[in-house]
Amino acid sequence: MKNTFIFLLLICCGSIRAHDHSIGLHGMVLFAINDRIYASHLPMPHGKHAVQFIFETQLPSQYKAQLIPFLKAHELITVRPETFSLNKLRAGQLTKFSGDIFIGHFERSGKIKHTDITFKVQNTILNKDINSSQRNGQFYTLGLGNNTCLLVHKIGRSPSFDQIATANCDYRAGKIAELNSSMNGPVKRFELTDIKNTNTLYLETNDFK
């Protein structure tokens, strides 16, 4: 009996240690660049959602064809996925998941467009924890090739913002740098740099007040 109790106690303690606190509903926003579709995790300033994670995703061709016109028109397209481990997604252990696609924000009266769509996780282009004590106005600058960069604001101390933009640049594909802005708020252009024609794809401020 004593040995059985110790065995069960060890199983229980091991289960507690192994619990993945990143499991949850991790909403996404979609955007398109050069006919490629990318997904960005909808971050929060604290807790398990305090992660900026962006990846290229592959959808079934019929759904991609229907979504591209909305994305190119800069309509807000979000995804309510199944529950999964964000840690496994970040580590490359989760290669696909299913979710529902909404025109608009799925938590703010968005209209459902497609249900139970499979998203394949392809190239990860950003995988960073949020530091809520850092200053605002710094941007990850990610080279995508074809004279295109993705600019992602490094979410900092409140009030902050999540901004994703494209711009013309001469960065090679895969190059990652950081760019400082003189502003603490969303940026429309970067002065005195080789980053030109900035175009915002996504901007969120309400979650970071």
Side-chain angles (χ1 to χ4, degrees):
M1 176 67 76
K2 182 178 179 181
N3 289 338
T4 300
F5 174 76
I6 293 174
F7 176 72
L8 292 174
L9 183 63
L10 289 172
I11 292 176
C12 176
C13 293
S15 176
I16 292 173
R17 285 195 299 269
H19 181 68
D20 185 348
H21 294 282
S22 78
I23 294 174
L25 196 161
H26 297 286
M28 307 272 177
V29 61
L30 301 180
F31 56 91
I33 302 173
N34 299 329
D35 291 327
R36 293 184 175 182
I37 295 181
Y38 297 84
S40 175
H41 170 245
L42 295 175
M44 297 292 287
H46 305 286
K48 63 185 173 185
H49 297 292
V51 172
Q52 292 183 267
F53 186 84
I54 300 176
F55 60 96
E56 183 181 348
T57 184
Q58 185 66 47
L59 282 70
S61 58
Q62 67 270 33
Y63 298 111
K64 178 179 179 180
Q66 293 180 47
L67 286 177
I68 284 290
F70 289 95
L71 295 170
K72 288 192 172 182
H74 297 164
E75 292 274 357
L76 177 62
I77 308 294
T78 59
V79 178
R80 181 181 62 194
E82 62 181 316
T83 298
F84 61 74
S85 164
L86 185 59
N87 287 345
K88 288 186 177 180
L89 179 64
R90 298 181 70 185
Q93 298 170 357
L94 182 67
T95 58
K96 63 181 179 180
F97 58 86
S98 63
D100 303 330
I101 297 174
F102 286 72
I103 307 298
H105 199 300
F106 69 90
E107 292 180 324
R108 301 175 189 168
S109 303
K111 304 300 182 184
I112 196 162
K113 178 73 172 175
H114 301 294
T115 60
D116 198 27
I117 305 304
T118 298
F119 294 82
K120 292 183 179 179
V121 181
Q122 294 189 309
N123 303 323
T124 296
I125 60 174
L126 184 66
N127 185 2
K128 299 288 185 180
D129 292 316
I130 289 174
N131 179 355
S132 59
S133 65
Q134 71 183 8
R135 74 174 186 86
N136 292 296
Q138 303 175 77
F139 284 77
Y140 299 111
T141 309
L142 314 169
L144 300 180
N146 297 321
N147 297 315
T148 302
C149 278
L150 190 68
L151 306 172
V152 183
H153 180 244
K154 293 178 66 175
I155 296 168
R157 56 178 173 262
S158 297
S160 191
F161 57 97
D162 186 12
Q163 182 180 13
I164 301 173
T166 57
N168 296 131
C169 69
D170 60 359
Y171 287 26
R172 61 173 172 78
K175 178 179 178 180
I176 301 177
E178 293 189 12
L179 186 65
N180 291 321
S181 164
S182 59
M183 301 177 62
N184 288 324
V187 172
K188 293 184 178 179
R189 62 181 178 273
F190 291 88
E191 303 290 350
L192 304 177
T193 72
D194 59 354
I195 304 295
K196 307 296 182 184
N197 302 319
T198 303
N199 180 28
T200 296
L201 302 175
Y202 174 72
L203 177 63
E204 170 63 33
T205 59
N206 290 333
D207 287 337
F208 306 98
K209 291 181 177 179

